[in-house]
């Protein structure tokens, strides 16, 4: 959500430091996504029924949040080139 707010801000008032922050956040989101996926896999290995029941939802949400953040970052990068 922070990247989305920053993106709106940079589109209204372009600033290189905000663009750089958004790009850093994009990289951090990739790391965070991997950590969350790994945690989920560990829960699956432990045999937690709740994790089995919600696995596809959990992984879909992670993928979709990552995809949204990537798109937001891409829009900002394009706007920064203008």
């Amino acid at each position: 959500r922070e990247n989305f707010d920053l993106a709106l801000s940079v589109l209204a008032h372009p600033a290189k430091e905000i663009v750089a922050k958004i790009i850093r956040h994009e990289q951090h989101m990739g790391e965070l996504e991997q950590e969350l996926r790994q945690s989920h896999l560990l829960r699956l290995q432990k045999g937690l029924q709740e994790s089995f029941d919600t696995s596809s939802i959990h992984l879909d949400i992670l993928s979709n949040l990552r995809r949204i953040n990537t798109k937001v970052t891409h829009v900002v990068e394009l706007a920064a080139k203008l």
Side-chain angles (χ1 to χ4, degrees):
R1 184 174 172 318
E2 184 179 357
N3 253 12
F4 185 75
D5 291 340
L6 288 170
L8 291 177
S9 143
V10 82
L11 292 174
H13 304 286
K16 290 182 182 183
E17 27 325 310
I18 297 175
V19 172
K21 186 174 186 176
I22 292 169
I23 292 169
R24 282 193 312 273
H25 282 187
E26 168 66 16
Q27 293 164 348
H28 175 71
M29 288 300 296
E31 295 165 4
L32 182 58
E33 178 194 12
Q34 288 305 313
E35 290 173 21
L36 292 171
R37 283 182 184 277
Q38 188 64 30
S39 295
H40 180 65
L41 292 175
L42 290 173
R43 287 190 301 275
L44 289 173
Q45 287 176 348
K46 289 180 182 178
L48 297 176
Q49 187 59 44
E50 311 85 48
S51 292
F52 285 109
D53 294 344
T54 61
S55 186
S56 65
I57 294 169
H58 184 93
L59 296 174
D60 284 349
I61 289 171
L62 286 175
S63 294
N64 287 325
L65 288 173
R66 171 65 182 214
R67 192 173 302 121
I68 290 166
N69 193 58
T70 299
K71 298 294 183 187
V72 166
T73 303
H74 185 68
V75 167
V76 168
E77 289 172 332
L78 289 174
K81 292 179 182 178
L82 298 176

